[in-house]
């Protein structure tokens, strides 16, 4: 059944294009002359907002909360009845609001926000209750289009830029930046890129863009090649650059030179009848190669230019001798890199290097000349109208809480998910994974989950969910051993794709629940052909899909679901048009209409299915893609198939922070990276390659221990802690040290998880969330807060034994976690970074609970709890606890113990415990460690205790003078 929306089927002749108006009209927002045949002064008041006619259409404002107002615009007001897959219907008590109007404006008032409509222009402005401007619309565009044969519209919404703001969010990108203002981003899901259309400003607001189609953010002009007439080669001849080709990846074995009119190569084309004209015919299509382009280009005007590379393997760009792009990706998946470069009008030197020593064939350089203005812009390819919700904080935690109020609170994950996950591509037999768990337990290395990646099924049985009896002879016995013998859990890979000939394929196909299989050139053969994905937008298909998973796997007590390739896209390089075609048609319309929503609906099916069959067992889903609202379905996202390089590790910091500030709190990655470059492939590794491999994985784990979910994974080399140089190696010691620290921190981590669900906060916090007024902190992409206490500064360079760390200004400063030494904020320091201790700092006023040493999360109760109280400033913390496994918390079955530190009186207070849950500890012991300028206490498994107190739920205070 195709439920394609048809609000505009009657007429698409009218085009609303305010951006074509004179600048004087644009400055006030979209021009409005009144909807044809309507009373322009009419304002219709609804139960939760207003509707009024504007030029060529209708505008609706809906009060969703006292800090959230939804704005919709469409030619046909029937659009206002459409149902969102992202935004949940209003529930609970309706917010209080009022309306005022005069001859020129209509204003909605809430306790925390004003939304003012200019009657003449139709523009919406958002202001504080005192009338201070926050954000104002600049222009709207609704333009008829035909997509996949469907009559629809392209829509654009622009807002006036604020010079003093930074912008964040829109999901997980691989640009390596957190502030995305003045960058241009394509919003569509593929391996490594996850779209969450929530844009957050340092000014304390967010915009939830409710559209599932291919979208864009930033300057909508296309990237183009530098014009040929602007190029000069290395010999001074106009019309091209000099391209030098090498037969190795290190620019040493020169083959030949020629003039290149563009930098746009695809080595896969060399075997075709018509080779790529930009590539010399004698250039090898396989093996290590490199190309260097040199010369000059003419910049037509002064200003900031945006350069973009699209490549895999190594790419570097120098402008006037300055390195502006440095990308060492070494992966078959090409990615975009962008650099903003200020140039004067005139000629500039350029050099571009590209080298390949692994899989991959692409390299392209494009640019954009300076824009006259850069309004904040969002555009979508398929829409019946514009639909966005403005959320105001001004604290960014309140902005994220507002996003979750709209799209659903984050599920609280089972407590065991906060321990270590061990994985690799792949454990080929059940015995292999049991041997791995035995290795952990023998070495007393904490672990909670073993992961079974794909191909546990028989060849050509993809989608059967059936174990290959030759390699998994007793699946139930294997799962039981994981649970009972090794006290662990198991997550298993489940894809939404199916081979013909399997019973599951036949059942789905007979009911029309599968997309039409398509074959595309360039798609890896390992994914198998022919095959197809199920239509996750169809409620009946979701139910059938879950029933197949349930009968084959959940009945055997599988604990968690690894939902791979949930874009769904498996082409390499990623291809937008192929992806839309593969999903077409869906239950909710053409593939282009719902392009970015597949993972959301797939997770919904599994979440609702498991909760229906086991209502009190918490769901956990790990998915390679995501979207706004996916947090309500027990889902976490990982960053995709990243290469095993220092560059990739560094970019994952920004990727995780961008995803987190987009509102989705549970993010993870393949610690160590997934795909190893050639230097890390020999079996066994030796010498310098082994040393670097071990240090890379140790440093990556030091970072990975401070993200929501800790998971070792990758292919080629083994990824167990002892595999990195053997038992007792420096890498193994560092990994085990951080693993044990993570388990000791379980009370802190789980308390943050409780706050994520109950309060709408987040784990990984870009520094803007706590230091929005600090211009330097707002831009940092390589350090962050983990919860309220920890400042994490991963080491991302080989052999580095120190790194620069910026400590933002904060009352009382910071404490070095490892030494306990107090440090002043508002400055950059050179922080020590020995092999086994990346820089880690604790904010003054923090209260950090530590539990006992554990081998798995439920091995023993957290009693006593050691509380590290970091002085220098007042501080608060709430210790959250529940049963860790059920949904009792949804009914109030959890406790919180408020804690407060008063710096002036040197008094620590445990507040009265709230609520109860079955099996809770009624009487507790807390050991208090006081860290101060006069009493430096570094991390110690057995620190000197300042005070020990017994707590029975009643408030008590103790002096630490």
């Amino acid at each position: 059944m195709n439920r394609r929306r048809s609000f505009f089927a009657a007429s698409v002749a009218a085009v609303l294009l305010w951006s074509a108006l004179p600048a004087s009209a644009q400055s006030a927002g979209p021009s409005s002359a009144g909807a044809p045949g309507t009373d322009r002064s009419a304002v219709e008041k609804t139960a939760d907002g207003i509707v009024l006619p504007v030029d060529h259409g209708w505008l609706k404002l809906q009060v969703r909360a006292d800090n959230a107002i939804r704005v919709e615009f469409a030619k046909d007001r029937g659009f206002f009845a459409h149902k969102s897959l992202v935004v949940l219907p209003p529930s609970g008590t309706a917010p209080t609001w009022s309306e005022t109007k005069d001859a020129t404006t209509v204003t909605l008032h809430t306790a925390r926000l004003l939304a003012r409509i200019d009657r003449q222009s139709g523009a919406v402005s958002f202001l504080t209750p005192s009338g201070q401007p926050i954000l104002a619309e600049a222009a709207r565009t609704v333009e008829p289009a035909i997509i996949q044969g469907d009559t629809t519209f392209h829509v654009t919404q622009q807002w006036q830029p604020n010079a003093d703001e930074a912008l964040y969010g829109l999901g997980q990108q691989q640009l390596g930046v957190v502030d995305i203002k003045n960058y241009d981003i394509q919003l569509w899901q593929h391996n490594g890129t996850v779209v969450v259309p929530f844009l957050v400003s340092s000014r304390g607001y967010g915009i939830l863009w409710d559209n599932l189609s291919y979208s864009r953010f930033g300057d909508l002009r296309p990237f183009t090649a530098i014009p040929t007439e602007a190029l000069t080669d290395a010999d001074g001849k106009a019309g091209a650059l000099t391209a030098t080709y090498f037969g190795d990846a290190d620019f040493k074995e020169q083959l030949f030179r020629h003039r290149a009119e563009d930098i746009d190569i695809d080595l896969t084309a060399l075997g075709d009848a018509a080779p790529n004209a930009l590539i010399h015919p004698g250039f090898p299509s396989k093996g290590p190669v490199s190309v260097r382009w040199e010369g000059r280009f003419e910049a037509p005007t002064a200003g900031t230019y945006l350069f973009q590379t699209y490549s895999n393997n190594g790419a570097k760009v120098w402008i006037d001798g300055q390195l502006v792009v440095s990308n060492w990706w070494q992966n078959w998946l090409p990615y975009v890199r962008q650099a903003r470069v200020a140039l004067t009008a005139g000629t500039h030197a350029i050099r571009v290097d590209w080298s390949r020593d692994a899989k991959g064939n692409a390299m392209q350089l494009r640019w954009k000349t300076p824009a006259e203005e850069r309004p904040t812009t969002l555009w979508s390819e398929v829409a019946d109208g514009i639909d966005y919700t403005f959320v105001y904080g001004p604290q960014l935690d309140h902005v994220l809480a507002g996003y979750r109020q709209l799209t659903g609170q984050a599920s609280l994950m089972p407590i065991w998910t906060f321990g270590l996950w061990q994985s690799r591509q792949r454990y080929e037999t059940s015995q292999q994974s049991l041997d791995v768990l035995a290795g952990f337990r023998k070495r007393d290395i904490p672990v909670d989950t073993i992961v079974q990646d794909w191909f546990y099924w028989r060849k050509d049985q993809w989608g059967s969910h059936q174990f290959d009896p030759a390699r998994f002879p007793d699946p139930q016995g294997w799962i039981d051993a994981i649970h009972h013998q090794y006290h662990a859990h198991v997550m298993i890979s489940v894809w939404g794709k199916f081979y013909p000939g399997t019973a599951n394929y036949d059942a789905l196909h007979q009911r029309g629940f599968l997309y039409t299989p398509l074959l595309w050139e360039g798609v890896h053969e390992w994914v198998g052909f022919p095959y197809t994905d199920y239509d996750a937008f169809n409620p009946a298909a979701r139910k059938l899909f879950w029933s197949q998973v349930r009968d084959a796997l959940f009945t055997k007590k599988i604990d968690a679901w690894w939902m791979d390739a949930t874009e769904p896209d498996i082409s390499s390089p990623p291809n937008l048009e192929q992806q839309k075609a593969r999903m077409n048609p869906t239950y909710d319309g053409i593939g282009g209409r719902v392009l970015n929503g597949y993972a959301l609906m797939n997770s919904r099916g599994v979440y609702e299915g498991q909760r229906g069959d086991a209502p009190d067992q918490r769901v956990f889903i790990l998915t390679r893609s995501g979207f706004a609202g996916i947090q309500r379905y027990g889902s976490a996202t990982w960053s995709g198939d990243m290469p095993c390089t220092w560059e990739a590790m560094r970019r994952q910091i920004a990727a995780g922070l961008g995803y987190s500030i987009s509102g989705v709190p549970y993010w993870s990655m393949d610690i160590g990276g997934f795909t190893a470059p050639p230097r890390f492939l020999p079996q066994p590794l030796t010498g310098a390659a082994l040393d670097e491999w071990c240090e890379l994985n140790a440093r990556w784990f030091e970072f990975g221990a401070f993200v929501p979910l800790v998971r070792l994974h990758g292919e080629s080399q083994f990824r167990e802690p002892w595999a990195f140089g053997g038992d007792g190696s420096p890498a193994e010691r560092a990994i085990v040290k951080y693993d044990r620290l993570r388990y000791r921190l379980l009370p802190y981590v789980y308390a943050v998880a409780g706050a994520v669900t109950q309060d709408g906060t987040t784990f990984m916090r870009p520094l803007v969330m706590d230091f929005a007024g600090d211009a330097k902190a707002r831009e940092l992409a390589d350090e962050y807060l983990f919860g309220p206490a920890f400042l994490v500064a991963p080491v991302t360079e080989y052999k580095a034994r120190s790194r620069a760390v910026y400590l933002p200004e904060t009352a009382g400063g910071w404490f070095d976690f490892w030494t306990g030494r107090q440090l002043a904020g508002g400055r950059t320091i050179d922080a020590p970074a020995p092999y086994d201790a990346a820089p880690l700092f604790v904010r003054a006023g923090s209260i950090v609970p530590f539990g006992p040493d554990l081998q798995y999360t439920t091995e023993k109760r957290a009693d006593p709890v050691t509380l590290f109280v970091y002085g220098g400033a007042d501080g608060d913390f709430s210790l959250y606890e529940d049963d860790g496994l059920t949904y009792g918390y949804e009914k109030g079955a959890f406790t919180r113990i408020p804690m407060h530190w008063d710096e002036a009186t040197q008094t620590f207070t445990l507040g009265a415990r709230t609520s109860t849950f079955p099996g809770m500890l009624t009487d507790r012991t807390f050991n208090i460690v006081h860290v101060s300028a006069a009493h430096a206490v570094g991390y110690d498994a057995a620190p000197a205790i300042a005070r020990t107190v017994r707590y029975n739920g009643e408030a008590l205070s103790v002096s630490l003078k």
Side-chain angles (χ1 to χ4, degrees), residues 196-515:
V196 181
F198 189 55
L199 182 68
V200 175
S201 167
S202 60
R203 288 170 62 92
Y205 68 82
I207 298 169
L208 178 61
W209 182 252
D210 194 353
N211 187 290
L212 278 70
S213 74
Y214 167 63
S215 300
R216 294 173 61 192
F217 165 78
D219 182 355
L220 299 183
R221 296 177 302 156
F223 280 95
T224 61
I226 301 175
T228 302
E229 60 270 20
L231 299 177
T232 304
D233 69 15
D235 299 320
K237 186 177 180 181
L241 297 174
T242 298
T244 306
Y245 294 82
F246 299 85
D248 67 327
D250 300 317
F251 303 92
K252 295 178 179 178
E253 301 175 12
Q254 182 173 330
L255 299 177
F256 38 76
R257 302 173 76 197
H258 82 148
R259 283 167 47 83
E261 297 178 352
D262 192 7
I263 300 176
D264 185 7
I265 66 175
D266 180 0
L267 298 189
T268 60
L270 291 179
D272 298 342
N276 188 330
L278 300 172
I279 307 299
H280 192 286
F283 197 48
S285 61
K286 297 181 180 180
V289 292
S290 52
V291 186
R292 174 169 292 155
W293 295 266
E294 296 172 286
R296 301 185 68 84
F297 68 90
E298 179 84 16
T301 60
T304 299
Y305 288 70
L306 190 61
F307 289 85
Q308 176 174 284
T309 62
Y310 177 75
S311 69
N312 37 29
N313 285 253
K316 293 184 177 182
V317 179
W318 291 263
I319 306 294
D320 293 331
Q322 178 184 0
L323 183 64
V324 297
V325 174
S326 180
N327 175 39
W328 193 254
W329 205 235
Q330 293 187 302
N331 198 344
W332 71 86
L333 290 168
Y335 277 95
V336 164
R337 300 287 181 261
Q338 292 180 0
R340 302 179 66 246
V341 183
L343 298 176
T344 58
T347 62
H348 298 269
I350 185 171
R351 171 181 153 190
V352 179
D353 284 0
W354 176 74
S355 61
R356 181 187 72 182
D357 64 357
K359 297 178 181 177
N361 300 291
M363 174 59 193
Q364 182 187 78
L365 176 69
R366 294 291 181 258
W367 77 345
K368 285 187 184 181
T369 55
E372 293 184 5
E373 59 179 17
R374 291 283 304 227
T376 301
T377 303
L378 283 165
W379 172 94
S380 287
E381 182 181 50
V382 181
D384 300 324
I386 290 171
D387 186 350
Y388 75 88
T389 301
F390 177 87
V391 182
Y392 186 54
Q395 295 84 5
L396 291 187
D397 274 308
H398 295 165
V399 174
L400 296 192
Y403 157 86
R404 300 215 194 111
Q405 186 175 356
L406 293 168
T407 64
Q409 297 299 335
S411 301
L412 184 53
M413 302 304 192
I415 193 168
W416 50 266
T417 62
F418 297 102
L420 177 64
W421 300 65
Q422 180 61 55
S423 180
R424 77 176 309 268
Q425 200 290 99
R426 58 192 163 86
Y427 298 119
E428 297 179 346
T429 69
S430 55
Q431 191 59 49
Q432 284 182 0
S433 57
L434 294 179
D435 290 345
V436 167
L437 286 174
F440 273 93
R441 297 296 180 233
K442 179 181 69 175
R443 295 173 172 86
D444 294 326
I445 301 175
V447 69
D448 263 82
T449 306
I450 193 79
V451 180
Q452 180 56 55
D453 204 349
W454 64 348
F455 275 121
Y456 52 86
W457 50 80
R458 282 185 275 196
K459 185 178 180 180
D460 299 329
Q461 293 291 299
W462 212 315
S464 69
H465 314 316
Q466 299 293 326
F467 292 91
D468 180 352
R471 294 179 293 115
F472 294 83
D474 182 11
Q476 190 62 68
W478 168 64
I479 295 168
D480 290 345
I482 291 171
H483 287 162
H484 305 303
Q485 182 176 350
Y486 295 109
H487 306 287
H489 297 78
V490 59
M491 179 171 74
I492 200 163
S493 175
V494 178
W495 294 52
K497 57 173 278 186
F498 299 86
Y499 277 1
T502 64
N504 289 345
Y505 176 97
D506 292 341
L508 289 159
H509 181 60
Q510 288 169 7
R511 297 187 62 183
F513 293 164
L514 295 174
Y515 299 138

Side-chain angles (χ1 to χ4, degrees), residues 174 328-333 335 337 640-649 652 670 672-677 696 700:
Q174 298 294 336
W328 193 254
W329 205 235
Q330 293 187 302
N331 198 344
W332 71 86
L333 290 168
Y335 277 95
R337 300 287 181 261
D641 294 342
M642 297 298 106
C644 307
T645 66
W646 296 94
E647 168 78 13
M649 175 191 168
Q652 296 325 289
D670 298 344
F674 181 71
T675 306
L696 171 65
W700 208 320

